[in-house]
Amino acid sequence: MIQITVIQIDNYGPWTVTPNPRRENDLQALQSRLYEDLNLMFGMYGGLVFYTRFDNLIAITNGISLEVHKKIQESVRNRYPFTISMAIASAETPYEAQKLATKTLQEYGSAQDSNRREVLDVANELVNGYVQIAHIDINNVTGTFTDVYSAYDTYLKVNEVKLLLMKEFLKYEALLFFIGGDNFMAPSNGMNEEDYIKIFDNINKKLNLDLKAGVGIGKSAEEAANLADIGLEEIRGKRVDKNICILKNDKFFKEVLRKGKSCGL
Amino acid sequence: MIQITVIQIDNYGPWTVTPNPRRENDLQALQSRLYEDLNLMFGMYGGLVFYTRFDNLIAITNGISLEVHKKIQESVRNRYPFTISMAIASAETPYEAQKLATKTLQEYGSAQDSNRREVLDVANELVNGYVQIAHIDINNVTGTFTDVYSAYDTYLKVNEVKLLLMKEFLKYEALLFFIGGDNFMAPSNGMNEEDYIKIFDNINKKLNLDLKAGVGIGKSAEEAANLADIGLEEIRGKRVDKNICILKNDKFFKEVLRKGKSCGL
Amino acid sequence: MIQITVIQIDNYGPWTVTPNPRRENDLQALQSRLYEDLNLMFGMYGGLVFYTRFDNLIAITNGISLEVHKKIQESVRNRYPFTISMAIASAETPYEAQKLATKTLQEYGSAQDSNRREVLDVANELVNGYVQIAHIDINNVTGTFTDVYSAYDTYLKVNEVKLLLMKEFLKYEALLFFIGGDNFMAPSNGMNEEDYIKIFDNINKKLNLDLKAGVGIGKSAEEAANLADIGLEEIRGKRVDKNICILKNDKFFKEVLRKGKSCGL
Amino acid sequence: MIQITVIQIDNYGPWTVTPNPRRENDLQALQSRLYEDLNLMFGMYGGLVFYTRFDNLIAITNGISLEVHKKIQESVRNRYPFTISMAIASAETPYEAQKLATKTLQEYGSAQDSNRREVLDVANELVNGYVQIAHIDINNVTGTFTDVYSAYDTYLKVNEVKLLLMKEFLKYEALLFFIGGDNFMAPSNGMNEEDYIKIFDNINKKLNLDLKAGVGIGKSAEEAANLADIGLEEIRGKRVDKNICILKNDKFFKEVLRKGKSCGL
Ligand SMILES: Nc1nc2c(ncn2[C@@H]2O[C@H](COP(=O)(O)OP(=O)(O)OP(=O)(O)O)[C@@H](O)[C@H]2O)c(=O)[nH]1
Ligand SMILES: Nc1nc2c(ncn2[C@@H]2O[C@H](COP(=O)(O)OP(=O)(O)OP(=O)(O)O)[C@@H](O)[C@H]2O)c(=O)[nH]1
Ligand SMILES: Nc1nc2c(ncn2[C@@H]2O[C@H](COP(=O)(O)OP(=O)(O)OP(=O)(O)O)[C@@H](O)[C@H]2O)c(=O)[nH]1
Ligand SMILES: Nc1nc2c(ncn2[C@@H]2O[C@H](COP(=O)(O)OP(=O)(O)OP(=O)(O)O)[C@@H](O)[C@H]2O)c(=O)[nH]1
Ligand SMILES: [Ca+2]
Ligand SMILES: [Ca+2]
Ligand SMILES: [Ca+2]
Ligand SMILES: [Ca+2]
């Protein structure tokens, strides 16, 4: 079970243009600050936040209590010109969890309902569960893109990869987010090695570039992300002979992967 | 002529994994802080920065001197664990300008050359010129997506719109960036009303949703963005009868638009 | 027992002038950002940080584990151009605790020893214990100073109050910090109502102004500070007939105050 | 003539306790962020801000236009849960300038008048003028305090030095601010070498420690601070044989110092 929190700025659209459209520089600074803050605060309890649309963010929050959520909600209220609503849900797959969470939020009213403020609710239950994250990276993006093509052409290519990855992962009810550079993170509970390989083959055929992924399985998003990073370094260091390296925290999980062969075994 | 600055974190990839992979929460916080800071600092001189890939950013910097660039570069060196390189270029179209800027940067060495640090150079010339920005927005995203579909489904839809817009705008040598929510900004010097309408029609046919855009033409990115915002409000307020409203700062520009009919005229 | 963490930027002095003196604006921005970050991160676990000298900070950290300290230390390393060292100690009084913590830090070498990096150690033991904080406030600073005297004259007056308070509180082995406006916070485990009253009388005689204080006793700095704030509001609301209101969290403490009469009792 | 801007958070006191006292961690984070932001924004135009009481800040703003002030005020409105008021004044001495600025602000109503919002006014005139800043530093604070005494004892000592310096400088209508570590900055237009030496002798007699100061004279706070820093390094490098080194930017100033002997001449 993965626990997902959907975060939404309350009635943000109208605020951005009241009484006059606000300076875009300020909105960009404000949104990226919120993203940063949420990552620092949830991160203190092992959570990980993705910026998504900036006004609607998705976080992995396994093991994080309602009380901690409340504190974060209050801290935003105390330091920002707006408030945020949050709904938490858990499910077997990340897609299902965020869907349940969104539904709970929607039941309280529209994102632009000026009476809906600081919702904090749980769709089903808070879980410890586990988190599986794939940290996906383009091989040699520096040599084949950054140093060769224009900044925007590389950016466009990264966006093509991103959209294709989003669609491929969705088939497995997994999510996919861009985390900067040539890197993506896919919360993907339940997927196995073959699943990732199949996706990367598809991308390779369509876009003619190679991907690799470290996959981590841990009790929190942070632990999973750390393990995924180590897996990626195993591949970079050629200590494994494929483009996927799955690592799990054995102290906490015995039987997680469907067909689980841990990297290097 | 539009002036574009390409900003690149020096040798960032290796740093993120030395001596061990760094915590993803911290990298996300660090990257979004850099983006925020750059927007605040360039914004003080009318510039506007887009986060692009976070390690490679694109800024519109008409009217901003080399000296101001130098100060920003120094401020990053003083407050971050890394340094940044920057190259500035001007051209008739945003695409051409960023291409020239990237080329200048590449001539100094690889993005991952540990000896290339704090490049600051100008490809051709610093200009005042003018900036044309379209602020593009999905009609009623709240009622048709945010309040109805799951957070991730809406996000996926927004990404489809984004990629399609990127490709369409590129035909005009214009750039396109996502700025949060259901909003995009397209630096698009030289485009006219018909061009935008054609693009929105294409999107509508393929993705079945309606777009609107305020377009601003000003002497700086900030002025252009402000005018674009006002144009968008003109459309929202139904004070124009189409989905495009182009506004220019007449104090500075007489003949800018190719076939320029100003919004409401 | 109160638990105190002394935080020190490693080898900061030399860094500020290498290779040339760094821009003061940047140093101020950097230092205040560090202070902010530390407060947000320790705050997620109920801790409270005082900026002290900015390069040497003092935090109340009851109940905060070594592991959390380590995470914060690592997060600073990942996002700042410098690293920090930390030593933790507990004692009956705040003064004694910070003294022990400082001593532990000093044993590892000079603050400007370039080989001493990222010390993290515990002087004696990590405790839950309890925290007593007085939130001290000048009566009607707005009417008698801010609106009447110049900004600097008021500031000077506040500094006189501060230094006198520091010296008075030290007699009880309590610490005192300025927290903005006309507000001070005194970590002051073991002090009782009479002690505070005596200090305020002294200040009144010497500086001719009235102080009030809410005092909170809780299991964390955050809880103590919250209770202190409530106490202050009790006084402001004239629901108590003196200038001191001590509140404790009875769920956790039975017999804490030496002569403890709880506010309103 | 020095130009000073007094900045005040509007109606901040009541806000901090409405509807309930806000979490102190958040207030500290919020206040230090404001300070950071103001320094970055004013700094882009050569200004320098001192945190003073955090809710009332003092900035040196020579050469900074009303338009830039307005942009900063708007940016705070767009990103913070409160607004700020500002008044600008110029005078021969820093003390006089801040006094005039405060008076202008006070004429608009109380700091806690809920109807007074976003005042922006000029007491007399905006000037280019010049800025004289002394960057004062304790000799070998590391060896004699930081590495020897407890963190709080050193802090107390620094506060004693600070208050004494404030009073001494006030005799010359100069201001003094703590900027972290063992450092102080004194905006001190019109003072000469002998004046500083006399003050340092007084401090030495009373507190038994040695001070040194680089003094910079420039057309902006930033330029003055930079020159002061260089002066300080001249003293540290023993390239001057006294504890004061005054440097001025000769490109802009011919006759500034009353008895001006430039350092090293
Ligand atoms: N968010 C995030 N970004 C990273 C991380 N590692 C690398 N990046 C980004 O990815 C960019 C490219 O770095 P690399 O992937 O090391 O470079 P490469 O040329 O593709 O090399 P290989 O991946 O080793 O083939 C960097 O500039 C970073 O922006 C990471 O752990 N997290
Ligand atoms: N960056 C940025 N985002 C904005 C701006 N205005 C709105 N948004 C974002 O767009 C989201 C949706 O707001 P709106 O576009 O007003 O909502 P809508 O339902 O599509 O309504 P209409 O566009 O009026 O049809 C908001 O939550 C914001 O995230 C803006 O000026 N800048
Ligand atoms: N850090 C912090 N500062 C506060 C808090 N409450 C008030 N302040 C500061 O104190 C300043 C003065 O506010 P008040 O103390 O409410 O004003 P006052 O005129 O002294 O009124 P009384 O204290 O009610 O007599 C504000 O501008 C804030 O800077 C708080 O809880 N924390
Ligand atoms: N804000 C600020 N602080 C500084 C600067 N230089 C040093 N500091 C602070 O001062 C502290 C002590 O550093 P130094 O003054 O170099 O150390 P010292 O032991 O007194 O050595 P000397 O001054 O060379 O005798 C550092 O930890 C910093 O906090 C500066 O330029 N600006
Ligand atoms: Ca890569
Ligand atoms: Ca919209
Ligand atoms: Ca008060
Ligand atoms: Ca010193």
Side-chain angles (χ1 to χ4, degrees):
Chain A
M1 299 280 274
I2 188 168
Q3 179 178 310
I4 296 272
T5 301
V6 168
I7 303 158
Q8 191 171 80
I9 304 179
D10 293 319
N11 205 17
Y12 183 52
W15 180 86
T16 61
V17 292
T18 306
N20 292 115
R22 294 173 194 264
R23 213 172 144 244
E24 192 58 39
N25 283 283
D26 290 334
L27 296 181
Q28 293 304 308
L30 181 64
Q31 292 171 1
S32 53
R33 188 167 275 188
L34 177 67
Y35 175 56
E36 178 198 357
D37 262 13
L38 291 174
N39 245 315
L40 286 184
M41 290 190 290
F42 277 109
M44 287 310 294
Y45 285 89
L48 186 57
V49 188
F50 299 102
Y51 61 83
T52 321
R53 295 201 288 143
F54 287 105
D55 60 342
N56 288 267
L57 303 96
I58 293 177
I60 308 180
T61 57
N62 288 56
I64 304 185
S65 69
L66 199 64
E67 203 187 0
V68 168
H69 279 83
K70 209 179 168 62
K71 189 182 222 173
I72 292 172
Q73 191 176 51
E74 190 187 325
S75 185
V76 170
R77 182 209 309 149
N78 284 341
R79 299 183 294 118
Y80 283 82
F82 48 61
T83 55
I84 55 170
S85 285
M86 299 199 267
I88 313 166
S90 52
E92 290 301 326
T93 65
Y95 177 78
E96 186 61 23
Q98 66 82 34
K99 197 172 163 181
L100 289 170
T102 310
K103 202 154 165 283
T104 296
L105 210 54
Q106 289 165 343
E107 281 164 8
Y108 280 87
S110 168
Q112 296 198 356
D113 177 344
S114 63
N115 292 317
R116 198 212 69 181
R117 264 176 62 101
E118 295 199 309
V119 172
L120 178 57
D121 201 359
V122 185
N124 41 17
E125 44 163 0
L126 296 186
V127 295
N128 288 319
Y130 79 97
V131 182
Q132 180 172 337
I133 288 181
H135 184 156
I136 300 158
D137 175 281
I138 302 176
N139 282 350
N140 192 19
V141 81
T142 311
T144 54
F145 292 97
T146 313
D147 291 349
V148 182
Y149 295 108
S150 81
Y152 192 75
D153 285 315
T154 302
Y155 178 55
L156 179 55
K157 177 63 76 176
V158 166
N159 272 282
E160 285 188 307
V161 177
K162 181 187 175 191
L163 189 60
L164 215 52
L165 281 173
M166 289 181 81
K167 290 180 178 174
E168 290 285 337
F169 273 98
L170 198 50
K171 296 177 188 165
Y172 301 88
E173 300 211 348
L175 311 180
L176 182 120
F177 302 97
F178 178 58
I179 56 167
D182 63 335
N183 286 244
F184 308 90
M185 273 204 174
S188 45
N189 283 30
M191 286 179 66
N192 64 31
E193 205 178 276
E194 285 69 36
D195 300 335
Y196 295 112
I197 289 174
K198 212 179 293 172
I199 291 179
F200 294 176
D201 282 348
N202 283 344
I203 304 280
N204 179 276
K205 264 173 229 147
K206 284 188 187 143
L207 296 177
N208 192 30
L209 49 76
D210 291 315
L211 297 171
K212 57 180 166 296
V215 181
I217 300 174
K219 66 179 197 306
S220 69
E222 185 176 356
E223 194 175 71
N226 286 349
L227 289 168
D229 281 355
I230 293 169
L232 211 47
E233 287 307 287
E234 291 295 298
I235 301 169
R236 275 212 182 91
K238 298 203 194 318
R239 288 181 290 276
V240 275
D241 59 355
K242 30 192 169 179
N243 276 334
I244 304 285
C245 173
I246 302 180
L247 292 172
K248 52 180 167 171
N249 185 336
D250 282 307
K251 269 176 281 176
F252 295 94
F253 303 93
K254 306 278 154 183
E255 246 305 291
V256 178
L257 287 176
R258 269 189 252 145
K259 303 177 192 179
K261 259 169 287 161
S262 185
C263 165
L265 297 189
Chain B
M1 299 282 275
I2 189 167
Q3 179 177 309
I4 296 272
T5 302
V6 169
I7 303 159
Q8 191 172 80
I9 305 179
D10 293 320
N11 204 17
Y12 183 52
W15 179 86
T16 62
V17 291
T18 304
N20 292 115
R22 294 173 192 264
R23 213 170 143 245
E24 193 58 38
N25 282 282
D26 290 333
L27 296 181
Q28 293 303 309
L30 180 64
Q31 292 172 2
S32 54
R33 188 167 277 188
L34 176 68
Y35 175 56
E36 177 198 359
D37 262 12
L38 290 174
N39 245 316
L40 287 183
M41 291 190 288
F42 277 108
M44 287 309 295
Y45 285 88
L48 187 56
V49 188
F50 300 102
Y51 61 83
T52 321
R53 296 201 287 143
F54 287 104
D55 59 343
N56 287 268
L57 304 97
I58 292 177
I60 308 180
T61 57
N62 287 55
I64 304 185
S65 69
L66 198 63
E67 204 187 357
V68 168
H69 279 82
K70 208 178 168 61
K71 191 182 221 174
I72 292 172
Q73 191 176 50
E74 190 186 323
S75 186
V76 170
R77 181 208 311 150
N78 285 340
R79 299 186 290 119
Y80 284 82
F82 49 61
T83 55
I84 55 172
S85 285
M86 300 199 268
I88 313 165
S90 54
E92 290 301 325
T93 66
Y95 177 78
E96 186 60 21
Q98 65 82 34
K99 196 172 164 182
L100 288 170
T102 311
K103 203 154 163 282
T104 296
L105 211 53
Q106 288 165 344
E107 282 163 6
Y108 281 86
S110 168
Q112 296 197 356
D113 176 344
S114 62
N115 293 315
R116 199 211 68 183
R117 264 176 62 102
E118 296 200 310
V119 171
L120 179 57
D121 202 359
V122 185
N124 40 19
E125 44 163 359
L126 296 185
V127 296
N128 289 318
Y130 78 97
V131 182
Q132 179 172 337
I133 286 181
H135 184 155
I136 301 158
D137 175 281
I138 302 175
N139 281 350
N140 191 20
V141 81
T142 311
T144 54
F145 291 97
T146 312
D147 291 348
V148 182
Y149 294 108
S150 81
Y152 192 76
D153 285 315
T154 302
Y155 178 54
L156 179 55
K157 178 62 78 178
V158 166
N159 272 282
E160 285 188 306
V161 177
K162 181 187 175 192
L163 189 61
L164 215 51
L165 281 173
M166 288 181 82
K167 290 179 177 175
E168 291 284 338
F169 271 97
L170 197 50
K171 296 178 187 165
Y172 301 87
E173 300 211 347
L175 310 181
L176 182 121
F177 301 97
F178 178 58
I179 57 167
D182 63 334
N183 286 245
F184 308 91
M185 274 206 172
S188 46
N189 283 31
M191 286 180 66
N192 64 31
E193 206 179 276
E194 285 70 35
D195 300 334
Y196 297 112
I197 289 175
K198 211 178 296 171
I199 290 179
F200 294 176
D201 283 348
N202 283 344
I203 304 281
N204 179 274
K205 264 173 229 147
K206 285 188 187 144
L207 295 178
N208 194 29
L209 48 77
D210 291 315
L211 297 171
K212 59 180 165 295
V215 181
I217 300 174
K219 68 180 193 307
S220 68
E222 184 175 355
E223 194 176 73
N226 286 348
L227 289 168
D229 282 353
I230 293 169
L232 209 49
E233 286 308 287
E234 290 295 297
I235 302 169
R236 275 212 182 89
K238 298 204 193 319
R239 287 181 292 276
V240 277
D241 60 355
K242 30 191 168 180
N243 276 334
I244 304 284
C245 173
I246 302 180
L247 292 171
K248 54 179 166 172
N249 185 336
D250 281 308
K251 270 175 280 172
F252 295 93
F253 302 92
K254 304 279 152 180
E255 244 307 286
V256 177
L257 286 176
R258 268 189 252 147
K259 304 177 189 177
K261 261 169 284 159
S262 185
C263 164
L265 296 189
Chain C
M1 300 280 275
I2 189 169
Q3 179 178 309
I4 296 271
T5 302
V6 169
I7 303 158
Q8 190 171 80
I9 305 179
D10 293 319
N11 204 18
Y12 183 52
W15 180 86
T16 62
V17 291
T18 304
N20 292 115
R22 294 173 192 265
R23 216 172 142 241
E24 192 58 39
N25 283 282
D26 290 334
L27 296 181
Q28 293 304 308
L30 180 65
Q31 291 171 0
S32 54
R33 187 167 278 189
L34 177 67
Y35 175 56
E36 177 198 359
D37 262 13
L38 290 175
N39 245 316
L40 287 183
M41 290 189 290
F42 277 108
M44 287 309 295
Y45 285 88
L48 187 56
V49 188
F50 299 102
Y51 61 84
T52 321
R53 296 200 288 142
F54 287 104
D55 60 343
N56 287 268
L57 304 97
I58 292 177
I60 308 179
T61 57
N62 288 53
I64 304 185
S65 69
L66 197 64
E67 202 186 0
V68 168
H69 279 81
K70 207 177 169 63
K71 191 181 219 174
I72 292 172
Q73 190 177 49
E74 190 185 325
S75 186
V76 169
R77 180 209 311 149
N78 284 341
R79 298 185 293 118
Y80 283 82
F82 49 61
T83 55
I84 56 171
S85 285
M86 301 199 268
I88 313 165
S90 53
E92 290 302 325
T93 65
Y95 177 77
E96 185 61 21
Q98 65 84 33
K99 197 172 163 181
L100 289 170
T102 311
K103 202 153 164 284
T104 297
L105 210 53
Q106 289 165 343
E107 282 163 7
Y108 280 86
S110 168
Q112 296 197 357
D113 176 344
S114 63
N115 293 315
R116 200 211 67 183
R117 263 175 63 101
E118 296 200 309
V119 172
L120 178 57
D121 201 0
V122 185
N124 40 17
E125 44 163 359
L126 296 186
V127 296
N128 288 319
Y130 79 97
V131 181
Q132 180 173 338
I133 287 180
H135 184 156
I136 301 158
D137 175 281
I138 301 175
N139 281 349
N140 192 19
V141 82
T142 311
T144 53
F145 292 97
T146 312
D147 291 348
V148 182
Y149 294 108
S150 82
Y152 193 75
D153 285 315
T154 302
Y155 179 54
L156 179 55
K157 178 62 78 180
V158 166
N159 272 282
E160 284 187 306
V161 177
K162 181 188 174 190
L163 189 60
L164 215 51
L165 280 173
M166 287 181 82
K167 289 178 179 175
E168 290 285 338
F169 272 98
L170 197 51
K171 296 178 187 165
Y172 300 88
E173 300 210 346
L175 310 181
L176 182 120
F177 302 96
F178 178 58
I179 56 167
D182 64 335
N183 286 245
F184 308 91
M185 275 206 172
S188 45
N189 283 31
M191 286 181 66
N192 65 30
E193 205 178 277
E194 284 70 34
D195 300 335
Y196 296 112
I197 290 174
K198 211 179 295 171
I199 291 180
F200 294 175
D201 282 349
N202 282 346
I203 303 281
N204 179 276
K205 262 174 231 147
K206 284 187 188 145
L207 295 177
N208 194 28
L209 49 78
D210 291 316
L211 297 171
K212 58 180 166 296
V215 181
I217 300 174
K219 67 179 193 308
S220 68
E222 184 176 355
E223 193 175 73
N226 285 350
L227 289 168
D229 281 355
I230 294 169
L232 209 49
E233 286 307 287
E234 290 296 297
I235 301 169
R236 276 212 182 89
K238 298 203 193 319
R239 288 181 291 276
V240 277
D241 60 354
K242 31 191 167 178
N243 276 334
I244 304 284
C245 173
I246 302 179
L247 292 171
K248 54 179 167 172
N249 184 336
D250 281 308
K251 269 176 279 172
F252 296 93
F253 303 92
K254 306 278 151 181
E255 244 306 287
V256 178
L257 285 176
R258 267 188 254 145
K259 304 178 190 179
K261 259 170 285 161
S262 184
C263 164
L265 296 190
Chain D
M1 298 281 274
I2 189 169
Q3 178 177 309
I4 296 273
T5 301
V6 169
I7 304 158
Q8 191 171 79
I9 304 179
D10 293 320
N11 204 18
Y12 183 53
W15 180 85
T16 62
V17 292
T18 305
N20 292 114
R22 293 173 194 263
R23 214 172 144 245
E24 192 58 39
N25 283 283
D26 290 334
L27 297 181
Q28 293 304 308
L30 181 64
Q31 292 171 2
S32 54
R33 189 166 276 190
L34 177 68
Y35 174 56
E36 178 199 358
D37 262 12
L38 291 174
N39 246 314
L40 286 183
M41 290 191 288
F42 276 108
M44 286 309 293
Y45 285 88
L48 187 56
V49 188
F50 299 102
Y51 61 82
T52 321
R53 295 202 286 142
F54 287 104
D55 60 342
N56 287 268
L57 303 98
I58 293 178
I60 308 180
T61 57
N62 288 55
I64 304 185
S65 69
L66 198 63
E67 203 187 359
V68 168
H69 278 83
K70 209 180 168 61
K71 190 182 221 174
I72 292 171
Q73 191 177 49
E74 190 187 323
S75 186
V76 170
R77 181 209 310 148
N78 284 341
R79 299 185 292 118
Y80 284 82
F82 49 61
T83 55
I84 56 171
S85 285
M86 301 198 267
I88 313 165
S90 52
E92 290 301 326
T93 66
Y95 177 78
E96 186 61 22
Q98 66 82 33
K99 197 172 164 180
L100 288 170
T102 310
K103 201 154 165 282
T104 297
L105 210 55
Q106 288 165 343
E107 281 163 8
Y108 282 86
S110 167
Q112 297 197 355
D113 176 343
S114 62
N115 293 316
R116 199 212 67 182
R117 262 176 64 100
E118 295 200 309
V119 172
L120 178 57
D121 202 358
V122 185
N124 39 19
E125 44 163 359
L126 296 185
V127 296
N128 288 318
Y130 79 97
V131 181
Q132 180 172 338
I133 287 181
H135 184 157
I136 300 158
D137 175 281
I138 302 176
N139 282 349
N140 191 19
V141 82
T142 311
T144 54
F145 291 98
T146 313
D147 290 348
V148 183
Y149 295 108
S150 81
Y152 192 75
D153 285 314
T154 302
Y155 178 55
L156 179 54
K157 178 62 77 177
V158 166
N159 272 283
E160 284 188 307
V161 177
K162 181 187 174 191
L163 189 60
L164 215 51
L165 280 173
M166 288 181 80
K167 289 179 177 173
E168 289 286 336
F169 272 97
L170 198 51
K171 296 177 188 165
Y172 300 88
E173 300 210 346
L175 310 181
L176 182 119
F177 302 97
F178 177 58
I179 57 167
D182 63 336
N183 285 245
F184 308 90
M185 274 205 173
S188 46
N189 283 31
M191 286 180 66
N192 64 31
E193 206 178 275
E194 284 69 36
D195 299 335
Y196 297 113
I197 289 174
K198 212 179 294 171
I199 291 179
F200 293 177
D201 283 348
N202 282 345
I203 304 281
N204 179 276
K205 262 173 231 146
K206 284 188 189 144
L207 295 178
N208 193 30
L209 48 78
D210 291 315
L211 297 170
K212 57 180 166 295
V215 181
I217 301 174
K219 65 179 196 306
S220 68
E222 184 176 354
E223 195 175 71
N226 286 349
L227 289 168
D229 281 354
I230 294 168
L232 210 47
E233 287 307 287
E234 291 294 299
I235 301 169
R236 276 211 182 91
K238 297 203 194 317
R239 288 180 292 275
V240 278
D241 60 354
K242 28 190 171 180
N243 276 335
I244 304 284
C245 173
I246 303 180
L247 292 171
K248 55 180 165 171
N249 185 338
D250 281 307
K251 271 176 280 176
F252 296 93
F253 303 93
K254 306 278 153 182
E255 246 305 290
V256 179
L257 287 176
R258 270 189 252 146
K259 304 176 192 178
K261 259 168 287 160
S262 185
C263 164
L265 297 189

